[in-house]
């Protein structure tokens, strides 16, 4: 996953954290039961993990970048009791039915190909317990968004076709909802 210097600075900024914590994340997980065991795929710098940790049952965060995973483990892992692992969301290192909820926030567009995105969706379905929810957000395409991602891995996710893709991955009742800059999604495991 490539990220340019501007993008890295934005993702580590207080203004990004304030926006995510104040409006984006509450909207993304509204009506999602986070009281059980939760898996966050792609926590990046941990902005979303810091918000999630006091709002969930046991929280596991899986990060593909080994350096970021080590930083998170040393910081958030000990500080907030989050089980931080290094691994790939398209090949989750967990048994079937391990989690009550799986979430991912503003990271799907960093997955290198649509095929890998689809494998991530199938893996989320596999590790969910019956009745569990897969939920999250990703950004809507705009000139500003594309500019921030110059030189980054950028594989856009179309919110109009995402429900079909989630259904094909084995998830039930997939839906998306558009926001001003992003869209939220959710689907369940029957």
């Amino acid at each position: 996953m490539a990220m340019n210097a501007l993008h890295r600075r934005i993702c580590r900024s207080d203004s990004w954290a304030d926006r995510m914590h104040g409006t984006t994340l509450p909207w993304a997980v509204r009506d999602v039961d986070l009281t059980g065991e939760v898996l966050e795929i792609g926590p990046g710098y941990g902005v979303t993990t810091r918000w999630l940790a006091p709002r969930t049952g046991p929280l596991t965060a899986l990060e593909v970048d080994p350096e970021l995973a080590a930083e998170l483990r040393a910081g958030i892992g000990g500080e907030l009791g989050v089980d931080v692992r290094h691994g790939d969301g398209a090949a989750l290192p967990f048994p079937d039915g391990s989690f009550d909820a799986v979430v991912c926030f503003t990271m799907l567009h960093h997955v290198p190909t649509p095929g890998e995105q689809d494998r991530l969706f199938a893996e989320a379905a596999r590790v969910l317990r019956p009745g569990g929810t897969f939920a999250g957000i990703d950004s809507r395409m705009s000139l500003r968004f594309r500019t921030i991602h110059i030189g980054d891995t950028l594989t856009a996710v179309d919110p109009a076709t995402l429900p079909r893709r989630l259904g094909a991955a084995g998830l039930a009742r997939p839906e998306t909802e558009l926001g001003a800059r992003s869209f939220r999604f959710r689907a369940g495991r029957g």
Side-chain angles (χ1 to χ4, degrees), residues 59-149:
L59 177 61
T60 301
L62 183 81
E63 174 56 46
V64 70
D65 182 301
E67 291 177 16
L68 282 178
E71 285 178 30
L72 288 173
R73 191 176 307 110
I76 291 174
E79 176 189 337
L80 299 175
V82 176
D83 179 10
V84 178
R85 309 268 186 105
H86 169 246
D88 184 348
L92 294 175
F94 307 106
D96 296 359
S98 296
F99 298 96
D100 299 295
V102 176
V103 296
C104 59
F105 306 110
T106 65
M107 58 72 66
L108 290 174
H109 61 272
H110 288 294
V111 176
T113 68
E116 287 179 77
Q117 291 170 344
D118 290 340
R119 284 192 294 281
L120 185 149
F121 303 150
E123 283 291 276
R126 181 184 66 76
V127 301
L128 275 174
R129 293 183 178 123
T133 302
F134 177 47
I137 55 169
D138 210 75
S139 299
R140 295 176 67 183
M141 288 298 107
S142 68
L143 178 58
R144 178 182 185 278
F145 183 73
R146 288 184 189 280
T147 302
I148 290 169
H149 288 77

Side-chain angles (χ1 to χ4, degrees), residues 2 15 18 22 32 42 48 58 63 73 84 89 91 99 101-102 145 153 166 170 180 182:
S15 62
D18 290 346
V32 175
T48 53
E63 174 56 46
R73 191 176 307 110
V84 178
F99 298 96
V102 176
F145 183 73
T153 299
L166 294 173
S182 58

